Amino acid sequence: MEYSFQVHWGDTDAAGIVFYPNFYKWMDAASHHFFATIGHSTWRLFQEEKIGMPIVEAKCQFHSPLFFEDQVCVKSTIAELREKSFRIQHQFFRGEQLVAEGYEVRVWTKFGGDRPKAAPIPAELREKMQREAVTITREEGSW
Amino acid sequence: MEYSFQVHWGDTDAAGIVFYPNFYKWMDAASHHFFATIGHSTWRLFQEEKIGMPIVEAKCQFHSPLFFEDQVCVKSTIAELREKSFRIQHQFFRGEQLVAEGYEVRVWTKFGGDRPKAAPIPAELREKMQREAVTITREEGSW
Amino acid sequence: MEYSFQVHWGDTDAAGIVFYPNFYKWMDAASHHFFATIGHSTWRLFQEEKIGMPIVEAKCQFHSPLFFEDQVCVKSTIAELREKSFRIQHQFFRGEQLVAEGYEVRVWTKFGGDRPKAAPIPAELREKMQREAVTITREEGSW
Amino acid sequence: MEYSFQVHWGDTDAAGIVFYPNFYKWMDAASHHFFATIGHSTWRLFQEEKIGMPIVEAKCQFHSPLFFEDQVCVKSTIAELREKSFRIQHQFFRGEQLVAEGYEVRVWTKFGGDRPKAAPIPAELREKMQREAVTITREEGSW
């Protein structure tokens, strides 16, 4: 799954490069894009089913700075799929160059009760997520 | 009413100065601070009474750039008070220097029905707001 | 000139709508897009010629809230063109609906000397900017 | 070392809680605050000595959501100190409650040459950083 964006002027800082918290903003956007693309808009999930996916952990490693106007492609794959949570991995590419890579651990969460509560990821969605994981594994030539 | 803050590294852009949309972020923070200070937290208003104050217009003029680590004081006053809306004016000072000034027009709004609806500003709050307007007028020596 | 974007999750606030300072972030992005499109990347101007376009005034009026996942198109036109400054107008459309409209006043500025200094907009660029202004006027049927 | 802040309205998202990339913005602010407090403003370092501290890795774990108006205290300590890099750990407290904890790995970097280059952390600064590490260890009662 790919999510593309261009670095905006406001994403940079006084050192002339991207301010690093923006990478997490883009990982978040890539995750929402991921679910929208497999047919499960996170907005619809939240509005209609009171389902959200809060983050419990996020990490990113930065290999090379990004600059204003850079065109970036984020490749997102499901790296781990548990009953009520998953780890989605994001790789940032500028052309062929891997500039950063990270992941988010998100919990499938039912809101609207007394307090938010972790819930099992539905089977249909789980299957779609697994398919994205498989595709990537193949690309990486792990067979 | 005064709201103080320090410019953070992430507020700057590749030209080495503050990215201008941040001034509106600070005007918003100053407005929330204004209501909290006169005893009407906007969070409590929203949580308990479904009252919000969406912006219908905001303008800012920039006289001098702000830099990382600058200490800034925003002076906020009620510039206009109507039945269901008001204009709050914000002046940004770095020491004695006026670096920017702007305003927000906000509408007292009742959420939670079919659609958000403008509502009259309660008399008690109106009086407190007026007092802030008066104080400032005096300071400016207009009497 | 058109600049399109989608509202991200992080652009919203606890009232469920877009946090208003983001509109200025998008006006800024639309202005950079404007110059890139007519062949004058603001990044190249800044890197190679030490030319920037700091904002001296920006205003926006908000007619209707934006929500997560909204597709938005910003139409930008040159509303006023002076020797050393210009006013660029931005209209935000969600489909046919005008949700917000605003402008930025920017000054053509030479950096790198003792202090930044306003400079005349080059004739070639001025002509290209005027063309964008004319196109729009025509569209609005003012002839 | 402690850095305190209050959650702003614009830090929240449509789920009513803090949008998670903001935690990295606060870790960054806490790091700049750390160096300013021990007498080495990062701005002065960058302006006068062309020294920056770009991040090569950042991770955060989120235990409990933050809400608008929450008062938060970040406790920062040097968790690892190498010749040219260091790991600074940040713990987010709301009152007594640990709501999030993370770290940044930063590289002492000399800018201004052909390309940025890692450089040894000066002995005087290294000593001050170590002192902060020791203080914390004591507080945690590990002796």
Side-chain angles (χ1 to χ4, degrees):
Chain A
M1 191 73 68
E2 296 187 359
Y3 169 73
S4 292
F5 68 89
Q6 188 171 23
V7 174
H8 287 153
W9 180 252
D11 297 324
T12 61
D13 63 24
I17 60 177
V18 162
F19 182 54
Y20 93 85
N22 287 313
F23 283 88
Y24 297 87
K25 178 183 82 179
W26 292 316
M27 291 210 290
D28 186 79
S31 286
H32 286 284
H33 177 75
F34 180 95
F35 284 97
T37 307
I38 62 173
H40 295 266
S41 148
T42 52
W43 188 225
R44 204 195 48 72
L45 279 167
F46 188 69
Q47 294 276 80
E48 297 177 12
E49 307 182 29
K50 301 282 178 214
I51 291 293
M53 309 175 200
I55 285 92
V56 291
E57 184 178 313
K59 178 182 173 179
C60 196
Q61 290 174 294
F62 309 97
H63 306 312
S64 182
L66 284 178
F67 300 91
F68 176 45
E69 287 190 343
D70 276 353
Q71 284 286 357
V72 184
C73 177
V74 183
K75 297 191 181 171
S76 305
T77 61
I78 301 298
E80 203 178 336
L81 187 54
R82 301 196 177 176
E83 194 205 346
K84 300 175 179 178
S85 66
F86 60 93
R87 190 155 62 85
I88 182 166
Q89 183 188 307
H90 305 284
Q91 293 181 301
F92 292 75
F93 289 91
R94 176 177 45 203
E96 301 287 303
Q97 186 191 14
L98 179 69
V99 292
E101 54 193 322
Y103 66 80
E104 301 167 307
V105 178
R106 290 170 176 268
V107 179
W108 197 261
T109 303
K110 181 78 182 174
F111 288 85
D114 276 4
R115 50 170 57 215
K117 210 183 153 187
I121 301 168
E124 183 215 343
L125 188 67
R126 173 181 294 281
E127 202 198 321
K128 285 182 183 170
M129 290 169 76
Q130 237 148 8
R131 232 175 290 158
E132 289 304 320
V134 170
T135 309
I136 290 303
T137 311
R138 270 186 196 144
E139 271 176 7
E140 291 179 351
S142 63
W143 285 15
Chain B
M1 191 73 67
E2 296 187 358
Y3 169 73
S4 292
F5 67 90
Q6 188 172 25
V7 174
H8 287 152
W9 179 252
D11 298 323
T12 60
D13 63 24
I17 60 177
V18 162
F19 182 54
Y20 93 85
N22 287 314
F23 283 87
Y24 298 87
K25 179 183 80 179
W26 291 317
M27 291 210 290
D28 186 79
S31 286
H32 287 284
H33 177 76
F34 180 95
F35 285 96
T37 307
I38 62 174
H40 295 266
S41 147
T42 52
W43 188 224
R44 204 196 48 72
L45 280 168
F46 188 69
Q47 295 275 80
E48 295 176 13
E49 306 182 30
K50 301 284 176 210
I51 290 292
M53 309 175 199
I55 284 92
V56 292
E57 184 177 313
K59 178 182 172 178
C60 196
Q61 288 174 296
F62 309 97
H63 306 312
S64 182
L66 284 178
F67 300 90
F68 176 47
E69 287 189 345
D70 276 352
Q71 285 285 357
V72 184
C73 177
V74 182
K75 297 190 180 172
S76 305
T77 60
I78 301 298
E80 204 180 335
L81 187 54
R82 302 196 175 176
E83 194 205 348
K84 300 176 178 175
S85 66
F86 60 95
R87 191 155 62 85
I88 182 166
Q89 183 188 305
H90 305 284
Q91 292 181 301
F92 292 74
F93 289 91
R94 177 178 43 203
E96 300 288 302
Q97 185 191 16
L98 179 69
V99 292
E101 53 193 323
Y103 66 80
E104 301 167 307
V105 178
R106 290 170 176 269
V107 180
W108 197 262
T109 303
K110 181 79 182 173
F111 287 86
D114 276 3
R115 51 170 56 215
K117 211 182 153 187
I121 301 169
E124 183 215 345
L125 188 67
R126 172 180 295 280
E127 202 197 321
K128 285 183 184 170
M129 290 168 77
Q130 237 147 7
R131 231 175 292 158
E132 289 305 319
V134 172
T135 310
I136 292 304
T137 310
R138 271 185 195 145
E139 273 176 7
E140 291 178 351
S142 61
W143 284 17
Chain C
M1 190 73 67
E2 296 186 358
Y3 169 73
S4 293
F5 67 90
Q6 187 171 23
V7 174
H8 287 152
W9 179 252
D11 298 324
T12 61
D13 63 24
I17 60 177
V18 162
F19 181 55
Y20 93 84
N22 287 313
F23 283 87
Y24 297 87
K25 178 184 80 178
W26 291 318
M27 291 209 290
D28 186 78
S31 286
H32 286 284
H33 177 75
F34 180 94
F35 285 96
T37 308
I38 62 173
H40 295 266
S41 148
T42 52
W43 188 225
R44 204 195 48 73
L45 279 168
F46 188 69
Q47 294 275 82
E48 296 176 12
E49 306 182 31
K50 300 285 176 210
I51 290 293
M53 309 176 200
I55 285 91
V56 291
E57 183 178 315
K59 178 182 174 178
C60 196
Q61 289 174 296
F62 309 97
H63 306 313
S64 182
L66 284 178
F67 299 91
F68 176 45
E69 287 189 345
D70 277 352
Q71 285 285 356
V72 184
C73 177
V74 183
K75 296 190 181 173
S76 305
T77 61
I78 301 298
E80 203 180 334
L81 187 53
R82 301 196 177 176
E83 195 205 346
K84 299 176 178 176
S85 66
F86 60 94
R87 191 154 63 84
I88 182 165
Q89 183 188 306
H90 306 284
Q91 294 180 301
F92 292 73
F93 289 92
R94 178 178 42 204
E96 300 288 302
Q97 186 191 14
L98 179 68
V99 292
E101 53 192 324
Y103 66 80
E104 300 167 308
V105 178
R106 289 171 176 268
V107 179
W108 196 262
T109 303
K110 182 78 182 175
F111 287 86
D114 275 3
R115 49 171 57 215
K117 210 183 153 188
I121 302 169
E124 183 215 342
L125 188 66
R126 173 180 294 279
E127 202 198 322
K128 285 182 183 171
M129 290 169 76
Q130 236 149 8
R131 231 175 291 157
E132 289 304 319
V134 170
T135 309
I136 291 303
T137 312
R138 270 186 196 144
E139 272 175 9
E140 291 179 351
S142 62
W143 285 15
Chain D
M1 192 72 68
E2 296 187 359
Y3 169 74
S4 292
F5 66 91
Q6 187 170 23
V7 174
H8 288 152
W9 179 252
D11 297 325
T12 61
D13 63 24
I17 59 178
V18 162
F19 182 55
Y20 93 84
N22 287 314
F23 283 87
Y24 297 87
K25 179 184 80 178
W26 292 318
M27 290 210 291
D28 186 78
S31 286
H32 286 285
H33 177 76
F34 180 95
F35 284 96
T37 307
I38 62 173
H40 295 266
S41 148
T42 52
W43 188 224
R44 203 195 49 72
L45 280 168
F46 188 69
Q47 294 275 83
E48 296 176 13
E49 306 182 31
K50 301 284 177 212
I51 290 292
M53 308 175 200
I55 285 93
V56 291
E57 185 179 313
K59 178 182 173 178
C60 196
Q61 289 175 296
F62 309 97
H63 305 312
S64 182
L66 284 178
F67 299 92
F68 175 46
E69 287 189 345
D70 277 352
Q71 285 285 357
V72 184
C73 177
V74 183
K75 297 190 180 172
S76 305
T77 60
I78 301 298
E80 203 179 335
L81 187 54
R82 302 198 176 176
E83 195 206 346
K84 301 176 177 176
S85 66
F86 60 95
R87 190 155 62 84
I88 182 166
Q89 183 188 306
H90 306 284
Q91 292 181 301
F92 292 74
F93 288 91
R94 177 178 44 204
E96 300 288 302
Q97 186 190 16
L98 179 68
V99 292
E101 53 192 323
Y103 66 80
E104 301 167 309
V105 178
R106 290 171 176 268
V107 180
W108 197 262
T109 302
K110 181 80 182 173
F111 288 85
D114 276 2
R115 49 171 58 215
K117 210 182 152 188
I121 301 169
E124 182 215 343
L125 187 68
R126 171 181 296 279
E127 202 198 322
K128 285 181 183 171
M129 291 169 76
Q130 237 148 7
R131 233 175 289 157
E132 289 305 319
V134 171
T135 310
I136 291 302
T137 311
R138 271 184 195 146
E139 272 175 8
E140 290 178 352
S142 62
W143 286 13

